[in-house]
Amino acid sequence: MKSRLVLLACCLTLLSSCGQGDKGTGKTPEFAVIEAKTTTANLTNSYPATIKGKQDVEIRPMVSGFITKLHVDEGATVRKGQVLFSIDPVQYQAAVNSAKAAVETAKAAVNTQELTVNNKRELNKKNIISDYDLQMAENQLAQTKAQLAQANAQLVNAKNNLSYTSVTSPSDGVVGSIPYRVGSLVSPSVASPLTTVADISEMYAYFSMTERQLLSQIREGGSIKEILEKMPDVQLQLIDGTMYADSGRVETISGVIDQATGSVTMRALFPNKHNVLRSGSTGNVVFPNLMENVIMIPQSATTEIQDKKFVFVLQPDNTLKNTEIKVFKLNDGKYYYVTDGLKAGEKIVIEGVQNLKDGQSITPITPAEKEAEYQKALKDQKEGNIQTAFQ
């Protein structure tokens, strides 16, 4: 119990000595100061994003019928033209056969009428029949040819309908959910598509940015094309917090700012060589913010009054001047990046600033000296504890 009391007393003595000095002797307190230096900061802005395939195609049937076979499963990777579903083709094959027969009948009618017309032309030349009879025969030939063309069109339509019984993928991509199974009756008017094929060779990340944030990104004027070219490459932070390997580019900026939210919709394109990204997932689009020749100071060196930040700048006579500074809106949680109010080479106090006052005199020491004093105090405390234990 006695050793614990001694330890507590030593700790209190140590804390009171750090930065406060010996008030009884009038000694000015010691505080660690650092010299403000310029550096290069790489900060980031992130915006929530929805990820979608470059092309999400709804697969819908062109003809009605029962599904007889599923050729793929959900999540399968398919190629353009690959068969996805088979619809019962019986009635459509019968329609093709009927259309073929109609074509043959029409061809025979045309051949017969051509013979008739040729015969009437010879008779007309000999004045055996009138021009009227010849014209009627030629008109009949034209009619049979039109019927042949109509039969050919019906055959083409029947063949198309038959081909539609094999539902194919219009593009390369990944198959989505499949709500219909073998035996389901489908038609062009069904509410839900048979499935969705998402082209995920490249992915779009849709995100919104406020008007103020947009202005900070484009800073300089120019056309939309010029603005997009000036924008830096962006990164994609996945839902698990990891960064996607490939960088992307902002491709489009909406020309209209949403008056309700004050934001503008933007779209970034990311490659997806290894199919890591999936349509419908979420993440964050991350903009780099490179700042050169900026002064970086610890956040512990600042005080805040009415949303304004201040630091204590050491004067040549070792007195302090409470100085307002302006900092960049982005920070890493440990440091502020000063944009105004502080110059390189000036020295600021980095500890105990809550207890300092404007015009106060201090004895400046370096952080290394402060750490050495702290370690010495800990060593003395430990040695005192050991001596106490042997008493």
Side-chain angles (χ1 to χ4, degrees):
M1 183 65 179
K2 181 179 178 182
S3 62
R4 292 184 179 177
L5 291 175
V6 173
L7 177 60
L8 177 60
C10 290
C11 289
L12 292 174
T13 302
L14 177 63
L15 291 173
S16 64
S17 64
C18 291
Q20 297 300 325
D22 189 346
K23 295 182 180 179
T25 60
K27 183 180 178 180
T28 56
E30 294 180 345
F31 285 90
V33 300
I34 61 170
E35 181 180 336
K37 296 181 180 179
T38 59
T39 185
T40 298
N42 189 11
L43 302 178
T44 57
N45 269 336
S46 62
Y47 306 91
T50 300
I51 302 169
K52 293 185 179 180
K54 188 174 181 180
Q55 181 174 260
D56 291 348
V57 183
E58 290 186 347
I59 307 300
R60 293 182 177 274
M62 297 292 291
V63 293
S64 300
F66 292 97
I67 294 178
T68 57
K69 186 175 182 180
L70 300 180
H71 296 268
V72 295
D73 200 358
E74 298 172 339
T77 300
V78 296
R79 296 294 181 184
K80 182 178 180 180
Q82 182 176 338
V83 178
L84 307 178
F85 303 88
S86 289
I87 297 175
D88 188 0
V90 174
Q91 60 176 323
Y92 300 103
Q93 183 62 60
V96 169
N97 295 339
S98 177
K100 285 181 178 179
V103 168
E104 295 302 321
T105 300
K107 284 180 179 180
V110 168
N111 292 335
T112 299
Q113 192 60 32
E114 284 178 343
L115 292 174
T116 301
V117 168
N118 291 334
N119 182 54
K120 287 185 177 291
R121 284 173 181 167
E122 294 298 325
L123 294 175
N124 180 259
K125 288 178 182 179
K126 297 177 181 180
N127 293 322
I128 297 176
I129 61 172
S130 65
D131 292 340
Y132 174 81
D133 289 336
L134 176 60
Q135 187 62 50
M136 289 294 292
E138 290 178 343
N139 290 346
Q140 186 65 33
L141 176 61
Q143 183 177 355
T144 55
K145 287 182 177 180
Q147 291 172 346
L148 175 60
Q150 184 178 18
N152 281 322
Q154 291 174 345
L155 177 59
V156 170
N157 184 61
K159 287 182 176 180
N160 286 338
N161 286 339
L162 179 61
S163 68
Y164 294 150
T165 59
S166 293
V167 182
T168 60
S169 175
S171 65
D172 295 347
V174 176
V175 177
S177 61
I178 302 176
Y180 302 98
R181 298 292 167 176
V182 173
S184 298
L185 177 62
V186 296
S187 70
S189 61
V190 291
S192 300
L194 299 180
T195 189
T196 300
V197 173
D199 180 358
I200 61 172
S201 58
E202 294 180 306
M203 303 295 288
Y204 287 137
Y206 293 89
F207 62 100
S208 295
M209 185 181 291
T210 66
E211 184 180 5
R212 185 183 298 274
Q213 291 168 334
L214 178 61
L215 289 175
S216 69
Q217 289 290 339
I218 63 180
R219 290 188 183 92
E220 301 177 6
S223 65
I224 294 295
K225 181 179 179 181
E226 293 172 337
I227 291 172
L228 291 173
E229 288 176 351
K230 293 175 184 176
M231 281 191 171
D233 288 351
V234 295
Q235 298 294 321
L236 182 64
Q237 184 181 36
L238 304 179
I239 192 66
D240 62 355
T242 60
M243 299 301 294
Y244 184 58
D246 297 319
S247 60
R249 292 287 301 175
V250 177
E251 281 197 329
T252 62
I253 302 175
S254 173
V256 179
I257 294 177
D258 190 334
Q259 295 297 317
T261 61
S263 62
V264 60
T265 300
M266 306 176 73
R267 187 185 76 197
L269 179 66
F270 290 88
N272 192 27
K273 300 175 184 177
H274 304 292
N275 293 340
V276 174
L277 304 178
R278 294 286 170 159
S279 187
S281 58
T282 58
N284 292 295
V285 172
V286 180
F287 278 77
N289 232 312
L290 184 64
M291 300 180 66
E292 297 181 345
N293 298 323
V294 63
I295 296 175
M296 182 177 70
I297 63 172
Q299 294 186 7
S300 60
T302 64
T303 57
E304 187 170 338
I305 302 175
Q306 295 181 347
D307 295 331
K308 295 182 179 179
K309 290 180 172 56
F310 296 84
V311 294
F312 285 97
V313 179
L314 184 68
Q315 303 301 299
D317 60 355
N318 287 344
T319 59
L320 301 177
K321 182 180 180 181
N322 198 17
T323 305
E324 182 184 353
I325 61 171
K326 293 182 179 179
V327 300
F328 190 59
K329 62 182 179 179
L330 296 179
N331 63 79
D332 59 5
K334 294 182 179 180
Y335 296 92
Y336 286 133
Y337 300 89
V338 181
T339 59
D340 191 26
L342 189 63
K343 297 178 181 178
E346 291 184 322
K347 294 182 178 180
I348 62 171
V349 180
I350 61 170
E351 59 160 352
V353 293
Q354 300 295 338
N355 300 320
L356 296 177
K357 296 180 180 179
D358 189 36
Q360 180 178 344
S361 295
I362 67 166
T363 299
I365 60 175
T366 65
E369 290 173 335
K370 172 61 72 173
E371 179 65 20
E373 289 184 359
Y374 179 72
Q375 293 298 331
K376 183 177 181 300
L378 286 179
K379 181 179 179 181
D380 292 344
Q381 176 189 342
K382 185 181 297 184
E383 291 176 351
N385 291 341
I386 294 174
Q387 292 177 1
T388 303
F390 281 99
Q391 291 176 357

